[in-house]
């Protein structure tokens, strides 16, 4: 029997497990999918926006894999400095595949980034996705203007959530505290700002178009900024998705104001580079940008001209970075674990039994589906090594070893109990399933504890589903 541990239960981890059990070359293979959280699905649960039900439905596909009798889900098991070490895992399993993603957001590196009201988009997403590690629940939503720095799908997601009406979010699984805060939000204008032009943006067309379908919300684009982009004026040689994106922003730029002013607006700004976040009394008040221009070589350069945009909230959405996992080699320049076709390299040599897949293997690139061929490549390497790996002696019962080390893994039945608890919580609020947002609540639900004993975050409307001043939500 070949025992394999997959560390991480997001798409890359689940696709790895699926590829492993889908191979008939290794009869009797058993795969344990370990996750630091009590819940599976990774960024599909904790990164996809709550109003993107179609993408979130991918959980059903991942569920089918994790319900395979040859696969065991073991949640609430940490690997790293405070948990199991890679060396200890190799004593328990013949092979370990690390699918731990890229957990750190990139910073802007400008003055004022530490002011109150300045956050990463990751922190905002964690909050409205009910990630139990979320540490902020006060995002300065009492001001009219917000700035989102970035030109990708994460920037579009957080922009959309800032202007979406609460009654549209109520049917989703967004946690009650976040729903209450967004219902009370004073944000009316969001500036989504990119340092380069629209031809360099990394939106998918579907996400971009969605901004233009939001009720009572107008998308505004300055034609003069679009005209600075050579790709905008001559898109013939650009990829098809980029040309479609340009068609979308071109239509917005050409649209004349008609009718009464909308309740909210989204301003897409281009060729502006943030240079400082300005504050008043320790809190964000505005962002200072330098106007940029194309340099003729596919990049941009500063012009020495500046502009300030008022803001009570600044969210940076400029990408992610992998973080070192203690006990594994790490390439700090690339933010990945060195590997060859998924085999972890230590001092340039493949380390027997250690593999990587997903973002920690290739960097934070691609879409969810990109993880499937990535996982297949890694699994092909592992299976080629399987005859030698299977000869190594490992502990006969990894679960017993985990218990002996003081871990209390949440099994698949525990996750199903969390699902039932979230459905029950939503029922008390007059909603569908609502995510439990804290560690104590998730662990208690996994072990059959009462749902409503889980502590609520500040600002949570409570079982009646009301905002802080007693008004119903939605």
């Amino acid at each position: 029997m070949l025992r394999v541990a997959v560390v991480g239960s997001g798409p890359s981890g689940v696709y790895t497990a699926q590829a492993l059990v889908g191979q008939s070359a290794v009869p009797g293979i058993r795969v344990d999918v370990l996750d630091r959280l009590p819940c599976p699905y990774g960024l599909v649960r904790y990164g996809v926006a709550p109003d993107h039900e179609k993408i979130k439905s991918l959980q059903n596909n991942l569920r089918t894999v994790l319900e395979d009798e040859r696969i065991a889900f073991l949640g609430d098991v940490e690997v790293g400095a405070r948990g199991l070490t890679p060396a200890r895992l190799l004593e328990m399993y013949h092979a370990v595949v690390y699918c731990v993603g890229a957990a750190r957001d990139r910073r802007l590196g400008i003055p004022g980034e530490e002011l109150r009201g300045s956050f990463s988009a990751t922190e905002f997403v964690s909050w409205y996705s009910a990630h139990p590690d979320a540490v902020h629940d006060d995002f300065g939503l009492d001001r009219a203007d917000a700035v989102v720095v970035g030109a990708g799908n994460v920037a579009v997601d957080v922009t959309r959530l800032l202007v979406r009406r609460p009654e549209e979010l109520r049917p989703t699984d967004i946690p009650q505290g976040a729903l209450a805060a967004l219902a009370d939000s004073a944000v009316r204008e969001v500036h989504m700002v990119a340092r380069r032009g629209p031809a360099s943006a990394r939106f998918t067309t579907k996400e971009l178009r969605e901004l233009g379908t939001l009720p009572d919300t107008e998308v505004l684009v300055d034609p003069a900024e679009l005209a600075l982009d050579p790709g905008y004026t001559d898109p013939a040689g650009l990829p098809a998705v980029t040309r479609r994106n340009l068609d979308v922003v071109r239509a917005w730029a050409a649209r004349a104001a008609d009718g009464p002013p909308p309740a909210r607006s989204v301003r897409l700004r281009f060729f502006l580079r943030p240079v400082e976040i300005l504050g008043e009394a320790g809190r964000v008040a505005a962002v200072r940008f330098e106007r940029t221009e194309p340099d003729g070589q596919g990049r941009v350069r500063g012009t020495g001209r500046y502009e300030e945009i008022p803001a009570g909230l600044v969210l940076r959405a400029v990408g992610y970075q992998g973080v070192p996992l203690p006990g594994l080699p790490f390439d700090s320049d690339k933010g990945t674990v060195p590997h060859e076709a998924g085999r972890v390299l230590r001092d340039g040599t493949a380390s027997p039994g250690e593999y990587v897949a997903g973002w920690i293997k290739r960097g934070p690139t691609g879409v969810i589906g990109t993880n499937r061929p990535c996982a297949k490549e890694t699994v092909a390497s592992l299976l080629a090594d399987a005859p030698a790996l299977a000869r190594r002696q490992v502990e006969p019962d990894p679960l017993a070893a985990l218990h002996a080390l003081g871990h209390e893994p949440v099994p698949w039945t525990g996750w199903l109990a969390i699902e039932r608890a979230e459905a029950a919580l939503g029922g008390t609020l007059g909603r569908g399933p609502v995510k439990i947002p804290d560690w104590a609540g998730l662990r208690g639900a996994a072990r059959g504890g009462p749902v409503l004993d889980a502590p609520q975050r500040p600002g949570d409307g409570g079982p009646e589903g009301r905002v802080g001043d007693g008004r119903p939500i939605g």
Side-chain angles (χ1 to χ4, degrees), residues 29-364:
I29 191 170
R30 292 292 182 269
V31 181
D32 287 350
V33 179
L34 279 55
D35 202 290
R36 188 177 68 86
L37 298 172
C39 310
Y41 311 139
L43 285 179
V44 177
R45 175 175 167 91
Y46 288 118
V48 175
D51 58 341
H52 274 178
E53 293 296 332
K54 185 174 181 180
I55 302 176
K56 289 172 71 67
S57 69
L58 177 63
Q59 292 183 19
N60 297 328
N61 298 35
L62 303 181
R63 171 193 292 271
T64 300
V65 177
L66 292 175
E67 287 179 335
D68 189 293
E69 62 182 7
R70 295 162 293 179
I71 298 172
F73 172 73
L74 300 175
D76 205 2
V77 176
E78 184 160 2
V79 175
R82 297 178 298 175
L84 293 168
T85 65
R88 186 70 181 92
L89 278 175
L90 280 179
E91 296 173 353
M92 299 163 59
Y93 295 93
H94 295 106
V96 183
V97 187
Y98 295 91
C99 307
V100 293
R104 179 185 299 157
D105 60 276
R106 295 184 183 275
R107 300 183 64 81
L108 299 174
I110 61 175
E113 200 165 4
E114 303 301 327
L115 286 169
R116 268 188 310 120
S118 169
F119 301 93
S120 70
T122 304
E123 292 171 302
F124 191 64
V125 170
S126 293
W127 170 66
Y128 68 59
S129 298
H131 196 294
D133 283 344
V135 295
H136 297 289
D137 52 25
D138 180 7
F139 284 90
L141 301 177
D142 58 337
R143 307 288 178 90
D145 290 275
V147 166
V148 176
V149 180
N153 284 344
V154 174
V156 173
D157 277 350
V158 298
T159 296
R160 189 180 66 256
L161 265 289
L162 282 169
V163 296
R164 196 177 273 289
R165 298 182 304 188
E167 58 266 31
E168 297 175 278
L169 293 173
R170 184 176 173 81
T172 74
D173 63 3
I174 189 171
Q176 189 70 10
L179 179 61
L182 290 169
D184 270 348
S185 171
V187 174
R188 293 296 177 266
E189 186 163 58
V190 180
H191 308 256
M192 189 164 63
V193 188
R195 64 185 178 89
R196 297 196 290 179
S200 301
R202 295 185 177 182
F203 315 120
T204 55
T205 308
K206 180 180 181 296
E207 293 262 359
L208 185 61
R209 283 181 178 148
E210 195 172 1
L211 287 176
T213 66
L214 300 176
D216 301 326
T217 302
E218 183 177 20
V219 181
L220 304 170
V221 188
D222 184 349
E225 291 183 348
L226 300 180
L228 292 172
D229 192 333
Y232 179 79
T233 55
D234 182 17
L238 296 175
V241 64
T242 305
R243 294 198 305 272
R244 290 193 294 268
N245 288 345
L246 295 180
D247 288 341
V248 173
V249 296
R250 186 177 283 110
W252 286 335
R255 186 171 52 194
D258 185 22
R264 302 168 186 82
S265 61
V266 173
R267 291 186 179 272
L268 299 188
R269 303 295 310 276
F270 297 100
F271 293 108
L272 290 172
R273 177 169 58 201
V275 294
E276 185 177 5
I277 299 176
L278 307 174
E280 292 178 358
R283 177 175 172 172
V284 168
V287 185
R288 191 171 191 235
F289 292 91
E290 181 182 17
R291 168 68 64 189
T292 62
E293 63 182 10
D295 66 357
Q297 300 179 11
R299 297 183 294 271
V300 293
R301 61 192 170 211
T303 64
R305 302 193 306 274
Y306 297 89
E307 176 180 339
E308 292 181 8
I309 298 178
L313 169 66
V314 177
L315 298 175
R316 63 180 184 273
V318 291
Y320 298 94
Q321 293 176 304
V323 296
L325 186 69
L328 281 184
F330 188 73
D331 184 331
S332 57
D333 292 331
K334 297 180 179 179
T336 59
V337 171
H339 71 93
E340 182 177 353
R343 295 181 178 92
V344 172
L345 299 178
R346 293 182 180 272
D347 298 323
T349 302
S351 176
E354 294 185 308
Y355 303 86
V356 286
W359 279 2
I360 200 63
K361 171 187 174 183
R362 67 180 191 274

